[in-house]
Amino acid sequence: MIKKLLAAAGIAALSFGATVASAQDWTPKQPITLQIGFGAGGGTDTLGRAIAASIEETNGWDIIVENVPGGGGVAMFSRLVNAKPDGYTLAMGVNTPVLMGLATRGDSLPFKIDSFDYMATVVTGPGAIVAPGNAPYNTVPEMAAYSKENDGVVFGYDASTQLMLINALNKADDAGFVAVPHNSGAELVQGLLGGNLGAAYMGGAHIQYLESGDLKMLAVATEHRQPYSQETTSLIEQGYPISVAPVFYIAAPAGLPEDVHAAIAKMLDDAINSPAVTKLVSNMMHVPPRNEGPDGTKHLMVDGLPSILALIEAGK
């Protein structure tokens, strides 16, 4: 499995190689701060620290990791927008909570979608709709039909975008799903295994329970099927034109000088596709890292905003 993921990561690196090949010989004269938009010990923090370690080992650059939790990254980006665009301050966050903030309260935030130079993506989270292994349904439409006939399936979630997705599914099928908030993926797993939940949106904690049959996937919530479960169709394939795909990405204040921009882009690409980071991502997410580069990351954010707005509308 790891070999396949490493091969996929290599293909992604080749696709970005032409972009970073022109990097100039800029080197930092002081440590670079990599801010993490979540607390210490979580998945984003673990990935960010691994990338920082790879940069230090490969480039010899000093990287200081600083946790700036709050609002799913909104607090960090509210601070980043005021940093100098000199290459010495970078930030790592997740697209969905930031886009949700811009979509629902953009007028009150100190930053806009174009307030940053988008430098790299790290990985797309393996979002999925998951049910207990013995549930009497195998797809979301089957679950919706069962829910109608049985006074509602209890559907767990731990993020606002997931609730909107559940609301959109409810609206599409008049399914009667009962949405119940949880604090973490671990809580959702326990709810599924304990029979308290009939379904949940999961971001990866479910994968270790698939082989045993304790849990099963009804659909992937990303646009495309996931490499760890190629047979599981997406919500889009099942007839729901919606998706929620959390992407880990790295940004800088807008306006980096061209040579700084090129050097940092190449540095990040080397780190993200390093053997150590690739192995970590593959073990954590069961998918390979994928760096879309500055242009691809910018498109991800710019195009993601109307997608979030559409999800909000679909869930009303």
Side-chain angles (χ1 to χ4, degrees):
M1 179 68 170
I2 294 296
K3 282 187 176 180
K4 290 182 180 178
L5 294 173
L6 287 170
I11 293 171
L14 286 174
S15 68
F16 180 50
T19 302
V20 299
S22 61
Q24 304 297 310
D25 291 332
W26 178 83
T27 55
K29 303 297 189 294
Q30 64 188 59
I32 292 174
T33 297
L34 175 61
Q35 298 177 356
I36 307 293
F38 297 84
T44 312
D45 179 65
T46 300
L47 290 176
R49 291 180 185 276
I51 290 170
S54 179
I55 293 169
E56 290 185 335
E57 180 178 352
T58 303
N59 295 68
W61 296 3
D62 291 329
I63 309 295
I64 298 172
V65 177
E66 179 183 1
N67 296 95
V68 187
V74 170
M76 175 185 66
F77 286 111
S78 295
R79 194 167 86 174
L80 182 71
V81 72
N82 294 316
K84 292 181 180 180
D86 53 11
Y88 291 108
T89 308
L90 304 174
M92 181 172 170
V94 180
N95 66 330
T96 45
V98 175
L99 291 171
M100 181 62 67
L102 287 168
T104 57
R105 52 193 177 97
D107 291 344
S108 64
L109 294 180
F111 62 86
K112 305 298 180 187
I113 198 71
D114 58 356
S115 296
F116 308 104
D117 281 355
Y118 296 104
M119 304 305 300
T121 57
V122 180
V123 64
T124 300
I129 307 302
V130 180
N134 61 357
Y137 37 79
N138 295 301
T139 65
V140 173
E142 289 178 7
M143 179 174 65
Y146 178 88
S147 183
K148 288 181 184 180
E149 297 172 0
N150 292 273
D151 299 322
V153 166
V154 180
F155 205 137
Y157 69 94
D158 65 358
S160 59
T161 49
Q162 299 167 17
L163 175 59
M164 291 179 182
L165 182 143
I166 295 169
N167 289 341
L169 295 176
N170 252 335
K171 183 178 179 181
D173 287 332
D174 192 23
F177 297 137
V178 180
V180 177
H182 289 66
N183 292 319
S184 67
E187 281 192 10
L188 291 168
V189 166
Q190 291 307 310
L192 291 167
L193 295 176
N196 297 317
L197 294 176
Y201 179 102
M202 299 296 303
H206 62 288
I207 296 174
Q208 62 180 306
Y209 299 95
L210 296 177
E211 187 173 351
S212 65
D214 292 325
L215 300 179
K216 62 182 175 183
M217 288 169 56
L218 307 184
V220 296
T222 50
E223 288 189 21
H224 306 290
R225 299 188 189 190
Q226 294 290 336
Y228 68 88
S229 184
Q230 283 284 358
E231 72 279 5
T232 305
T233 55
S234 67
L235 286 171
I236 294 172
E237 290 176 285
Q238 293 185 23
Y240 306 98
I242 51 178
S243 65
V244 174
V247 180
F248 298 80
Y249 73 102
I250 298 173
L256 291 180
E258 184 176 347
D259 59 337
V260 177
H261 189 284
I264 289 177
K266 184 179 188 308
M267 171 267 291
L268 289 173
D269 188 61
D270 290 343
I272 291 165
N273 289 293
S274 68
V277 174
T278 296
K279 183 177 181 180
L280 174 66
V281 170
S282 301
N283 287 337
M284 285 180 59
M285 303 286 191
H286 295 265
V287 294
R290 183 175 179 84
N291 180 16
E292 300 286 351
D295 289 343
T297 308
K298 181 178 179 179
H299 285 304
L300 166 81
M301 297 301 292
V302 172
D303 295 344
L305 190 54
S307 296
I308 287 290
L309 289 167
L311 180 62
I312 293 171
E313 188 63 30
K316 286 182 178 178

